[in-house]
């Protein structure tokens, strides 16, 4: 009995030192990327698939989750500077990013797609973007994918994906490149204005990022993610946010 109690207390102490102080998990996120993370206009609350997922992770770690809204361009520098403990922000696991941060096990699979105005019949696949102006969010895999398409006239970079979509709606760009479900959400929010064409032309996986050397935090988060997937909670969250897609 004593050994069990000592082990339990030790686990609590170790977990408390994993991230933040006093059982708080500080989470950086660029909360402008529906349906993964965005601001509820009525309540001001941060909502979305990622927000629900990280709060569930926090619950299973017995830690309070504090979301810190952070511009995408500074999100990894902010992590490395210690402004928060982890990042969840529909962030694709890439070799380049993995050189500077550690990632959890993948929690979501996606790919890049092309979005155009609803009356545009000239674009159906990446090859059709020759001579076109493409809007992207700066520093994202959408930008990197667009840069690999030969013959694009110009790639315009925007701080957020909503701004890139706005440029497309206003005719400042001919197309936008974005994660599939983000693009579908935007098209659904603007019926008869924008549409998604073709199929995803990349395969990508999202992960939760943290500073290197946080091995205990990494293991704890991976265990929580595995539990969430195994007991059906993940499927419930997926249905809640993507069931109509």
């Amino acid at each position: 009995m004593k050994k069990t109690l000592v082990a339990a207390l030790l686990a609590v102490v170790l977990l408390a030192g994993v991230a933040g102080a006093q059982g708080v998990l500080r989470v950086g996120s660029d909360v402008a990327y529906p349906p993964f993370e965005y601001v509820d206009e009525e309540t001001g609350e941060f909502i979305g698939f990622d927000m629900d997922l990280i709060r569930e992770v926090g619950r299973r770690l017995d830690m309070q989750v504090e979301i810190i809204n952070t511009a995408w361009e500074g999100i990894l520098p902010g992590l490395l500077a210690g402004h928060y403990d982890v990042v969840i922000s529909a962030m694709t696991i890439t070799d380049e990013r993995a050189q500077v941060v550690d990632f959890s096990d993948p929690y979501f699979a996606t790919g890049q797609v092309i979005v155009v105005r609803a009356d545009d019949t000239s674009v159906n696949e990446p090859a059709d973007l020759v001579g076109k102006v493409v809007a992207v969010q700066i520093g994202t895999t959408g930008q990197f994918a667009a840069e690999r398409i030969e013959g694009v006239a110009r790639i315009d970079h925007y701080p957020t994906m909503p701004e890139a979509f706005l440029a497309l709606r206003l005719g400042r760009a001919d197309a936008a490149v974005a994660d599939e479900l983000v693009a579908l959400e935007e098209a659904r929010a603007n019926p008869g204005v924008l549409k998604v064409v073709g199929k995803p032309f990349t395969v990508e996986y999202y992960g939760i990022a943290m500073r290197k050397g946080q091995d205990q935090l990494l293991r704890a988060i991976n265990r929580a993610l595995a539990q969430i997937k195994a007991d059906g909670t993940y499927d419930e969250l997926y249905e809640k946010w993507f069931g109509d897609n």
Side-chain angles (χ1 to χ4, degrees):
M1 183 70 176
K2 287 183 179 179
K3 288 184 178 180
T4 302
L5 179 58
V6 170
L9 289 173
L10 180 59
V12 171
V13 171
L14 290 174
L15 185 57
V18 171
Q22 301 175 342
V24 176
L25 183 66
R26 298 170 302 158
V27 180
S29 187
D30 178 16
V31 190
Y33 209 64
F36 291 94
E37 43 268 323
Y38 62 106
V39 181
D40 186 309
E41 294 181 357
E42 294 184 0
T43 66
E45 181 185 4
F46 298 149
I47 61 174
F49 179 82
D50 282 356
M51 302 292 91
D52 280 358
L53 181 64
I54 198 63
R55 288 182 178 119
E56 182 63 23
V57 168
R59 187 185 71 79
R60 294 180 189 233
L61 298 184
D62 197 24
M63 301 182 79
Q64 178 183 343
V65 172
E66 176 187 353
I67 307 296
I68 301 169
N69 194 2
T70 306
W72 178 259
E73 288 185 82
I75 203 164
L76 286 184
L79 175 65
L80 298 177
H83 297 164
Y84 27 84
D85 306 303
V86 302
V87 165
I88 186 167
S89 197
M91 180 174 285
T92 299
I93 300 169
T94 68
D95 292 340
E96 292 79 10
R97 290 170 181 162
Q99 290 177 11
V100 295
V101 299
D102 282 337
F103 281 101
S104 70
D105 292 336
Y107 70 85
F108 201 89
T110 188
Q112 297 299 312
V113 295
I114 300 168
V115 184
V116 297
R117 288 183 292 279
D119 59 356
D120 188 342
T121 59
S122 67
V123 176
N124 294 286
E125 58 182 355
D128 297 330
L129 294 177
V130 172
K132 305 285 188 180
V133 175
V134 179
V136 299
Q137 182 179 2
I138 191 168
T140 63
T141 47
Q143 174 191 329
F144 307 148
E147 290 172 346
R148 292 193 293 269
I149 300 172
E150 296 184 3
V152 171
R154 190 177 76 243
I155 298 174
D156 289 346
H157 308 85
Y158 293 89
T160 68
M161 204 62 232
E163 289 173 277
F165 286 135
L166 177 60
L168 174 59
R169 293 202 303 271
L170 295 177
R172 296 171 184 166
D174 302 304
V177 173
D179 290 8
E180 181 182 23
L181 290 177
V182 173
L184 290 171
E185 178 74 12
E186 181 69 18
R188 183 168 55 187
N190 295 277
V193 179
L194 299 179
K195 65 180 180 181
V196 177
V197 294
K199 298 179 179 179
F201 60 95
T202 67
V203 177
E204 304 172 13
Y205 300 93
Y206 295 163
I208 300 170
M210 62 208 76
R211 290 183 296 280
K212 286 189 174 295
Q214 302 291 303
D215 295 342
Q216 188 175 348
L217 177 60
L218 179 61
R219 289 193 294 270
I221 286 177
N222 281 338
R223 283 196 299 270
L225 288 174
Q227 293 168 359
I228 289 167
K229 291 178 180 179
D231 66 14
T233 303
Y234 184 94
D235 292 337
E236 293 175 4
L237 294 180
Y238 190 97
E239 180 64 24
K240 173 182 176 180
W241 292 104
F242 312 118
D244 294 334
N245 291 319

